[in-house]
Amino acid sequence: MRTENRVLCSLIFFLTFFIAFNVVNGEDPYRFFTWKVTSGPIYPMGIRQQGILINGQFPGPKIDTVTNDNLIISVYNYLTEPFLITWNGIQQRRNSWQDGVYGTNCPIPPGKNFTYALQMKDQIGSFFYFPSLGMHKAAGGFGGINIYSRPRIPVPFPHPAGDFTLLAGDWFKRSPRAILDSGHNLPFPDGLLINGQGWNGNTFTVNQGQTYRFRISNVGLATSINFRIQGHTMKLIEVEGSHTLQSMYTSLDIHLGQSYSVLVTANQRPWDYYITVSSRFTKPVLTTTAILHYSNSWGKVSGPPPGGPTVQIDSSLSQARSIRWNLTASGPRPNPQGSYHYGMIKPSRTIRLANNAPVINGNKDMRLTGVFGVGSIPDSPTWGSGYLKTSVMHADFRSY
Ligand SMILES: *[C@@H]1O[C@H](CO)[C@@H](O)[C@H](O)[C@H]1NC(C)=O
Ligand SMILES: *[C@@H]1O[C@H](CO)[C@@H](O)[C@H](O)[C@H]1NC(C)=O
């Protein structure tokens, strides 16, 4: 009898809790966006190029959002060819058909529109979006996505005095699409850009003594980059939605598609300093700069920008290994981020993937070999000749 009562009590307690929680929580907020995608002139390297603009902007508008927000983004395609946007790093829980890649999303035909409905469910951090079809990314159409923590969730660092987004990466003066379509490899890039601009095209103004968050993404097509700020160190705080152990770095390698957040304190004498991005593992080394400007600055940048690592691989690997999750910091929820003991999980299967560049229908095509067909992934690459098919990985819930 007593046990039964206790069971009943806890049941009622749980039900009350459940209902109260749901009522109090309500529905998560909505944010609405209307994006007009057009083709227009841009001059990122001093010469006129045909770029992809979103609401007339290159790079596209930044999305500022909060954990669990619903984003309703209506994309109107005014280009003369099909267009899709993918949301790099957004998890799309139970929502994979909004991911904007060919195969799960139909391209938006020219002159038509499509409304993406995305939820930033249980996510925080720095990400970016980019066009996923036809090498459009080489012409623009990308932009930053910042998911801020909900107001009451503790963040493992003091609120920064400012929050800057830097979309950096390699750039081609001539669209590489025609070159790939003629069966050739991607050429060497012509330069690097920061937020769509070349040398000293961007200025980030800071107040002496204050600390700022810089979110840096590599939005390029071909090269890893190294990021550094003359005379300043960076405290790494977040990598793609996870708070990290807060180590100091004088420079950071950022590989294609990655996003990092660092805190930088303006603790040097009031001056202007180079923010430098250079290509990694390439010869020659491409470099571009922006300006870190102290509001009370006494002088402009002069001389060459500070050098950084170039072709060395070991330092890059050890840096990557130094980046760790802070398992006790909060993530999108107040609880610690990690409770998985990854090192102790026994792998049940190992799949080796290889990238390859076969020529298909006369076009150069970059893809993974041996990933085609539902449930037919071999353990090792098959190295066969290439053919086109949608890649589908057969996996059960939590089996990977
Ligand atoms: C947007 O697309 C819908 C159909 O998907 C269509 O009914 C509507 O007219 C379109 N709007 C514009 C302005 O083209
Ligand atoms: C991890 O996060 C906790 C909680 O914010 C913080 O107290 C701790 O100093 C962090 N550890 C490191 C090494 O960054």
Side-chain angles (χ1 to χ4, degrees), residues 75-76 78 111-115:
V75 178
Y76 291 78
Y78 292 109
K112 301 286 182 200
N113 68 82
F114 177 72
T115 300

Side-chain angles (χ1 to χ4, degrees), residues 349 351-353 369-380 392-394:
R349 187 176 169 202
I351 302 175
R352 281 190 186 75
L353 304 175
T369 53
V371 196
F372 307 125
V374 182
S376 68
I377 299 175
D379 291 341
S380 295
V392 183
M393 183 178 274
H394 172 89

